[in-house]
Amino acid sequence: YESSLSDCSHNGWGVNNCGHKEDVGVVCAEFQLRLVNGGYGYGRLEVFHAGEWGTVCDDSFGRREADVACRELGFSGAQSYRPTGYYGQGYGMIWMDDVKCNGSESSLAHC
């Protein structure tokens, strides 16, 4: 997947057959990931959904899911993953459980 709109194919900068009545709008997903209780590139995985940070349950979570999460966070992939509250127990909502990815998804939200 492309990390920037400029990486997508197009007709060339300024080359178009459009008027401003065709200007595009987007509604961005309110889905973000972060790592807490760790350091750069490691920690407890949390998800921002419905205006609130929450955790991801380790049920069914494995290397493929960790790879997707790490790529979404801007890394090349996962070296490993740690279940059972290794980086401390979270609080609030547990937003995701039984996450299953095939490994090619661009976001954990697509698993």
Side-chain angles (χ1 to χ4, degrees):
Y1 70 95
E2 295 83 5
S3 60
S4 170
L5 193 59
S6 63
D7 295 335
C8 300
S9 66
H10 56 90
N11 292 338
W13 295 105
V15 179
N16 65 77
N17 61 353
C18 297
H20 283 295
K21 66 180 179 176
E22 298 173 88
D23 290 346
V24 71
V26 298
V27 178
C28 296
E30 189 179 291
F31 187 86
Q32 300 173 37
L33 300 180
R34 71 178 180 183
L35 299 172
V36 298
N37 281 7
Y40 181 75
Y42 65 96
R44 182 179 63 245
L45 182 63
E46 293 192 346
V47 177
F48 190 74
H49 176 72
E52 181 181 347
W53 286 102
T55 59
V56 177
C57 185
D58 65 4
D59 295 348
S60 300
F61 199 94
R63 179 61 184 259
R64 285 181 291 200
E65 292 75 24
D67 277 336
V68 172
C70 287
R71 285 197 313 270
E72 186 170 358
L73 287 163
F75 299 96
S76 60
Q79 288 184 348
S80 64
Y81 65 97
R82 306 274 191 198
T84 64
Y86 185 86
Y87 292 105
Q89 294 181 9
Y91 53 90
M93 292 296 299
I94 299 172
W95 280 126
M96 299 179 84
D97 186 21
D98 291 320
V99 178
K100 294 178 185 78
C101 302
N102 64 33
S104 64
E105 296 87 353
S106 61
S107 170
L108 211 58
H110 299 147
C111 295

